[in-house]
Amino acid sequence: MKNIKTDVCIVGTGPSGALLGLLLAKQGHEVLLLEKFANLERDYRGEILQPSTLQLLDQIDMLEYILEQPHKKIAQGGIHYKGKRIMEFKMDDISREYPYAIQMAQSTFIQALLKEAEKFPNFKMHFNSNVKTLLKDETGQVIGVQGTIEKEPAEVFAKVTVGSDGRQSTIRREASFKEVNEHHRSNLIWFTIDWPSHLPHELMYMFTGKNNLFMIPKYPDKMQIGYTFTKEQQARVKENNYKEIKDLVIEQIPELKERVENSKQFVKLQVISLTLDHWAADGLVLVGDAAHVMTPIGVIGINVALADSIVAAEVILEALNEGDYSVNKLSEIEKKRKPEADELQRLQIKVESLIFTTNPIVSQLRPYLVQFMSKTPLVNILMKKFFFPVNQRKAG
């Protein structure tokens, strides 16, 4: 059996885990990052870095480096109904200093972070690492993880263990963190086509009178299309083999007919919002989707997770320097981050309730309500809540 000792063991190589590993390694501490899969080449759901995240990356001197990676800038977006734009928002109305979001393949973003982390000899990473359970001492404090690395049994002993292993987190389950709110009302189907030359590269959401659609620019020149449907509609969508999705997109944008009809790969995503009562235990803390599962509303999940990592790095560095790995110390992360995450989840659920309403009167009035809102300051207030939360603006 492999027996490994390290200062910090991070389970899960999403953006949150990769950034946290880099920040801790920069400070000279031993960091071990464990990744379940054999590589990073798989489908991801969060690939938009919002203006607030660009600011955070700038504050840790990473923005210039990240912008050197392949990406697409997104400066604006809108909501459409019956072929017309009924609401427009521009990123420079949200932030003059960071007047755009960027779409970057998540594998590209993670690999860029890992490339920097690997410059430090105190940083180690293992793929094919299947964590099965937590290691605890006689007092119940978490002191590492047990599982396999490259199919060989392994125990990793760490002063601090971090669960950054996503929405289906093994660490969250093994630590028995209490789920206080789980919201699952809807689902998404994603597929990707070539971006049509006559359309601007911007975020687009479409009220169709049926199920709704949204389009996201995807590097280098692709359109990622999302089709929203309720849990009750799931059997119907599966039964007709995505035909209703294709028909609806073609109905809204006839010019996409050939591209859409030739689409073969459709990816389903459950739209779940999950809240925990706390994120930390003695020797252990959760970050990112392991701590709070965000819905795709506002495409902010990766941004919230990265903000977690920056705060977590500060607190864990203090814990290592002080030799204090208690729940009281590690809970400082959730004290600084949980209020914002909880507020954004509540906002997402409210917006989702409007989008997926089954009330026929509200459904008919919805586009006109949005159009009215577009002429008021409420638009920028809402956009700032999503894309530039107050707590993130104060991060430093």
Side-chain angles (χ1 to χ4, degrees):
M1 176 180 286
K2 284 187 178 180
N3 190 302
I4 303 172
K5 291 185 178 181
T6 186
D7 291 330
V8 181
C9 175
I10 303 171
V11 180
T13 313
S16 184
L19 179 60
L20 179 57
L22 168 59
L23 294 175
L24 293 173
K26 275 186 171 182
Q27 299 301 316
H29 292 285
E30 298 288 333
V31 178
L32 177 63
L33 188 54
L34 300 178
E35 169 55 38
K36 180 179 180 179
F37 296 97
N39 55 57
L40 300 172
E41 299 303 323
R42 55 187 184 274
D43 286 325
Y44 296 91
R45 68 187 186 99
E47 298 191 325
I48 302 292
L49 300 179
Q50 300 289 2
S52 58
T53 302
L54 302 185
Q55 184 192 50
L56 287 178
L57 291 171
D58 203 5
Q59 289 172 348
I60 59 173
D61 298 322
M62 289 290 295
L63 181 58
E64 184 176 347
Y65 171 66
I66 292 300
L67 291 178
E68 291 172 358
Q69 315 308 315
H71 68 277
K72 181 174 287 293
K73 291 182 178 179
I74 303 172
Q76 63 185 30
I79 298 177
H80 299 252
Y81 179 60
K82 291 185 176 180
K84 296 180 180 179
R85 189 202 301 267
I86 61 174
M87 177 186 284
E88 179 183 53
F89 61 88
K90 296 182 178 181
M91 296 298 181
D92 62 1
D93 289 335
I94 301 167
S95 170
R96 297 291 184 185
E97 191 174 1
Y98 306 93
Y100 53 85
I102 66 171
Q103 187 281 330
M104 179 181 292
Q106 202 171 115
S107 57
T108 299
F109 181 70
I110 295 171
Q111 286 167 351
L113 296 176
L114 294 179
K115 184 178 179 181
E116 284 297 293
E118 287 165 356
K119 293 178 180 179
F120 301 93
N122 47 305
F123 176 86
K124 299 289 187 297
M125 178 177 177
H126 293 297
F127 287 99
N128 293 313
S129 301
N130 187 12
V131 172
K132 296 179 179 178
T133 189
L134 296 169
L135 295 174
K136 297 182 180 180
D137 65 14
E138 63 279 1
T139 69
Q141 178 169 321
V142 174
I143 56 172
V145 296
Q146 185 179 58
T148 60
I149 297 176
E150 297 290 353
K151 298 183 179 180
E152 182 181 346
E155 290 184 337
V156 177
F157 294 89
K159 297 171 182 175
V160 178
T161 301
V162 180
S164 179
D165 49 342
R167 53 165 45 196
Q168 304 294 337
S169 172
T170 297
I171 301 301
R172 181 178 68 225
R173 184 189 69 239
E174 289 298 309
S176 300
F177 285 103
K178 183 180 178 183
E179 299 173 5
V180 295
N181 182 37
E182 181 174 352
H183 174 85
H184 176 209
R185 181 175 180 174
S186 57
N187 296 298
L188 268 175
I189 295 287
W190 288 108
F191 67 103
T192 302
I193 62 173
D194 290 333
W195 193 281
S197 58
H198 72 285
L199 290 179
H201 288 264
E202 63 182 41
L203 298 171
M204 293 188 290
Y205 192 91
M206 291 186 174
F207 291 130
T208 71
K210 304 172 186 176
N211 295 67
N212 298 321
L213 301 167
F214 58 96
M215 289 82 169
I216 298 175
K218 188 177 177 70
Y219 180 87
D221 204 25
K222 300 288 185 181
M223 171 186 282
Q224 189 172 12
I225 301 175
Y227 174 88
T228 61
F229 59 99
T230 64
K231 289 191 296 182
E232 292 74 22
Q233 295 172 328
Q234 182 169 324
R236 186 193 74 202
V237 171
K238 186 176 181 181
E239 182 179 335
N240 64 36
N241 198 30
Y242 310 117
K243 182 178 184 302
E244 70 177 70
I245 304 175
K246 294 180 179 181
D247 289 347
L248 184 60
V249 176
I250 294 168
E251 177 186 305
Q252 298 299 310
I253 312 179
E255 299 92 333
L256 300 184
K257 186 175 189 298
E258 183 177 352
R259 292 178 173 90
V260 171
E261 287 183 341
N262 290 331
S263 297
K264 305 294 184 185
Q265 188 172 5
F266 294 79
V267 179
K268 178 189 167 187
L269 171 69
Q270 286 189 328
V271 179
I272 295 174
S273 178
L274 179 66
T275 305
L276 304 179
D277 62 342
H278 63 286
W279 301 359
D282 289 327
L284 173 69
V285 68
L286 304 179
V287 294
D289 273 5
H292 48 72
V293 179
M294 313 295 289
T295 78
I297 301 294
V299 286
I300 57 173
I302 183 175
N303 306 276
V304 180
L306 293 174
D308 290 351
S309 291
I310 292 174
V311 172
E314 296 170 356
V315 174
I316 292 172
L317 285 170
E318 290 178 2
L320 293 170
N321 291 335
E322 297 167 7
D324 181 2
Y325 319 119
S326 68
V327 63
N328 288 338
K329 182 62 184 179
L330 297 179
S331 290
E332 291 180 15
I333 298 167
E334 71 185 75
K335 289 176 183 175
K336 295 178 180 180
R337 292 293 309 140
K338 194 174 189 299
E340 179 184 286
D342 288 352
E343 180 185 1
L344 288 170
Q345 285 178 314
R346 288 191 294 268
L347 183 58
Q348 285 184 320
I349 291 171
K350 288 178 181 177
V351 173
E352 185 186 353
S353 296
L354 177 63
I355 290 172
F356 290 102
T357 179
T358 56
N359 184 310
I361 297 176
V362 176
S363 184
Q364 288 179 3
L365 291 176
R366 181 175 51 195
Y368 304 102
L369 175 63
V370 169
Q371 192 167 24
F372 171 76
M373 286 173 51
S374 71
K375 304 180 188 302
T376 73
L378 191 58
V379 175
N380 281 347
I381 293 172
L382 185 62
M383 292 304 105
K384 285 180 179 179
K385 273 188 174 292
F386 268 128
F387 304 144
F388 231 107
V390 173
N391 290 351
Q392 290 194 27
R393 283 207 306 272
K394 292 180 180 177

